[in-house]
Amino acid sequence: MGCGFAKSDQLKKRDRETSLLVPAATAMRAALLIQRWYRQYVARLEMRRRCTWNIFQSIEYAGEQDQIKLYNFFGYLMDHFTPASSERNLISHIFRENNICHNVDWERYFCYKSIEVPELYSGPHLSFPITCSNAAELVEAFKNKQQLHSRYVLQLLGETWRLLRILPNISQISTCHNKEITICGDLHGHLEDLLLVFYKNGLPSSEKPYVFNGDFVDRGKDSLEILLILFSFLLVYPNDVHLNRGNHEDHIVNLRYGFTKEVLGKYRLHGKKILKLLQKIFSWLPLATVIDHKVLVLHGGISDTTDLHLISRVDRHKYVSALRPPKRKRQNRSGMTDSDLEDDDPTAKSVDSSRRRVHSLTHSSSTGTRHEVQRRSLQGLNNRVTCSVEEELKERRRQAGLSQSYGDLRNSLTNSDSDPDPDSGELLESYGDEWKQIVDMLWSDPMPQDGCVPNEVRGGGCYWGPDVTEEVLRRHNLTLLIRSHECKQEGYEFCHNRRVLTIFSASNYYEVGSNRGAYIRMGPDLVPHFIQYQANRATRALTLRQSVGRTERSALRALREKLFAHKSDLISSFQEYDPENTGLISLGHWAGAMEAVLRLGLPWRVLRSQLVGDTLDGMLDYHLWFRELAITEPNTELSNASLLETMYKHHSNLETIFRIIDTDNSGLISFEEFRQTWKLLSSHLQTEISDEAISDLAVSIDFNKDGSIDINEFMEAFRLVGGDLLQNEGDPH
C-alpha cells in the first residue's frame, strides 16, 4: 500500500510539472512569433518611410536642377545676345550687379524717413539703436501674427546692412565654462520652429550665443519675420549672434521658392525696396563660423580645393548671386571702367553691355560620377536653342567675320579670352577660383565614397567623401565640420567617421510628420548635444504608423502629379515597349520607362504596389493606369493639349519667368509680356509654341477682360491637384 501511494504521488508531481512546462514552451513560441511579426512590421514601416523620403528629396533636388538650368539659359542669353535683343532685355535686370561704391545713392534710395507710421498702426514699434527689449517684443508680436510697419522694416534692414559690412568672411567665436553655443540649421520660413527653439533654449544674449547656419528663407510662409528677428538680435548682440549665408540667401533662388512672392504680398507698397535691400544684405552675410579654432560651421560643405585662407580674403559682397560669378571691371579703350559707365541710380533700367560667360557651374570638367546617383547633370547649358537664338548668333558671327559652325562659335565664346562683341572694347574676367569656393560652401553635400565629384543631383557644388573631409580638417587643424543644407529625418546626422555633422532645424519640412527639427548645444569640450522637437502639436500625438501613412500619401500625391505632367513622354516611352499597340506593357518595362523619362533615381519596382493597381497576368494597361492616377485637372476651355502639358510640366519655371518679367512687382503682366514669357520658355525648352496658341491662352485667362493677367491667379488656375488613391489607403499587408 505504501509503495502504491508513493508511485501515485510521483505520477501526480510529474503531471503537474508537465502541465507547467507545456504553457511555458507555448508562451515562448508565441513571444518569438510576436517578436518576428513586430520586427517585420517595423521593417515594412521603415522601408515605406525611406521610399517616401526618397520621393520628397528627389522631387526637391529635381526642382533645384531646373532652377539652375533655367538660370544658365538666361546667363547664356546675357552673354551671347546683343544688348538690343528683346529676349536679353527681358531678363537683364536680374543680372545687373549693384555697384557697392555708390553707398550714398543706396542710402538715399532706401531712406525710411519719408514713410509715416499711421496712428491706427497696432503692431510693434522699434527704437534705434535697437535694444534687447525691442527684439523680444518683435518675437512676441510675430508670435501673435502682427506685422512690422515698412518704415521699421527698412530702418532695421539698413542698420543690419551697415553692421554686416564690417564683419569678416569667417566669424571666430570662443566657448567658456559658463555658457554653451547653440547652433541652428535650416529654418526655411518656419517661424514656429524658431519660436520653439527660443522657448526651449532661451533668447539670444551675451550668456547664450547662437550660430544660425543659413537658409532662413523660402518654402515656408514666415521667412521675412525670421530674418527680422535674427537681424534684430544681431544688432543687439553682434558678438554673440552669428549668421552664415545659405544657398537660399540668393535673390535668383528666391524667385522660384517663394520668398520674393512672400515679401511682395506682405508689403505691396515698399516690397520692391525691401527686396533690393535684402539682396545687398544677403551678399554681405558671412560665409562660415569657426568655434574655438576647431569646429567649422558652414551651410553646404567643402571640396578637395577648399581653402579657408582664400575664403577669408574674398570680397564676398560681389557674389550677389552665387549661381553666377561676377566680372572684374577692366578699362576699355576709352580709358573708363565699367563702373564709370553704370548708372548710379539703383533703380535704373539701363541695359548691361554684352558680357562673356567664362565658366559654367562649378565642377563641370570633372569626369567622376556618384555611384548611387542616376540622374542627368545640369552642368553647362542647353545643347540646342531655337531658331531665333541661332539666327542672332549667325548675325553676330557675320559681324565678327567668323565662319565657324554654331557649336564652334559657342565653344570659342565660352573658352576664349576675346570679347564676343567686337565693338564693345571690354575685357572681362571671372573670379573663377573664388566663385568655385563659395559655390562649394553653399551647395555641396557629403557622400560615403572617397573622392570629390560634381553634385549632379542639385546641379551645383560637389559631392565630397571621407578622404576629403580628413584632408581639409587636417590642413586647417580642425576636428569637426558642422553643416546643414539637407533635411534629415531625426533633425541631425553624423557621417564621415563622425567628422561631419548635419543639423536641420525646420521640422515637418516636406509634410507634417515627415521629420523632426533639431539644434546643437556645444560647450568648451566641443562635444555636440542634440535637442530634437516637433513644432506641430498634432504630430506629437500620431503613432509611427499614422505618421508614416500621412507623409507617404503626401509624397505619392506629389509624385502622381509629376507623372501626369509627363504623360506624353511616358506614353511615348511605354509605346517603345509596345510595338503592336496593345496598350499593355510588363511591369519591368514600366519601371524602366519611368526612370528613363523622370530621372528621379527612385526605386520604381518597390513603389509599384503604391502606384499601380490591378494588372492582367503581370501586364499593365498604361492608358487605364493614367486614368486611375486620381489627378484633378484645371477646369479650362483651352483645347491645346500640348500647351497644357507644358504648363503642368514646367509650372515652376513659368512662374519664375513671370516674376522676372514683372519688373514693377505689381503681380500683373500685359499680353505682350505674357507672349514674351512663353517665347522665353519655348527657347529654353527647345520647343515651338505658336503665337495663336499663346493668344488663346491669354484670352482664356483674362477673366475681367482688362488686357492684363494676374500672375497668381494664372498659376493657380493651371495647377494640378493630386488626390489619394483609394486602393492605397492604410498599410499594405
Side-chain angles (χ1 to χ4, degrees), residues 114-126:
S114 61
I115 302 174
E116 296 291 336
V117 179
E119 293 182 3
L120 296 178
Y121 170 70
S122 58
H125 292 266
L126 299 182

Side-chain angles (χ1 to χ4, degrees), residues 60-96:
E60 177 190 6
Y61 291 170
E64 291 184 347
Q65 281 188 358
D66 284 346
Q67 168 75 11
I68 291 177
K69 188 173 184 180
L70 180 64
Y71 189 71
N72 282 343
F73 172 71
F74 289 160
Y76 185 76
L77 294 184
M78 286 297 298
D79 292 335
H80 301 304
F81 268 33
T82 57
S85 64
S86 60
E87 292 92 343
R88 194 178 190 277
N89 280 334
L90 285 173
I91 49 92
S92 62
H93 63 280
I94 68 169
F95 290 95
R96 188 172 299 123

Side-chain angles (χ1 to χ4, degrees), residues 558-662:
L559 183 58
R560 287 196 298 273
E561 291 169 11
K562 200 165 187 67
L563 296 178
F564 192 85
H566 289 77
K567 181 178 179 179
S568 295
D569 293 337
L570 283 170
I571 288 180
S572 296
S573 185
F574 293 155
Q575 288 173 342
E576 292 180 8
Y577 298 109
D578 181 26
E580 298 180 3
N581 294 320
T582 63
L584 301 173
I585 58 172
S586 70
L587 292 175
H589 287 159
W590 171 85
M594 297 286 278
E595 181 57 30
V597 172
L598 297 174
R599 303 200 179 194
L600 291 175
L602 292 174
W604 295 107
R605 294 178 185 274
V606 176
L607 292 169
R608 186 181 63 193
S609 62
Q610 299 292 331
L611 295 172
V612 177
D614 297 330
T615 59
L616 182 62
D617 296 328
M619 301 297 287
L620 172 68
D621 184 333
Y622 50 86
H623 293 291
L624 177 62
W625 175 68
F626 271 113
R627 291 196 294 271
E628 293 177 344
L629 278 179
I631 298 296
T632 302
E633 288 192 76
N635 183 16
T636 175
E637 298 178 357
L638 189 64
S639 59
N640 191 313
S642 175
L643 194 61
L644 273 174
E645 186 166 328
T646 300
M647 279 189 289
Y648 300 155
K649 192 186 305 183
H650 302 285
H651 194 272
S652 296
N653 279 346
L654 189 60
E655 183 170 6
T656 299
I657 300 175
F658 278 144
R659 301 289 174 198
I660 292 171
I661 289 180
D662 180 26

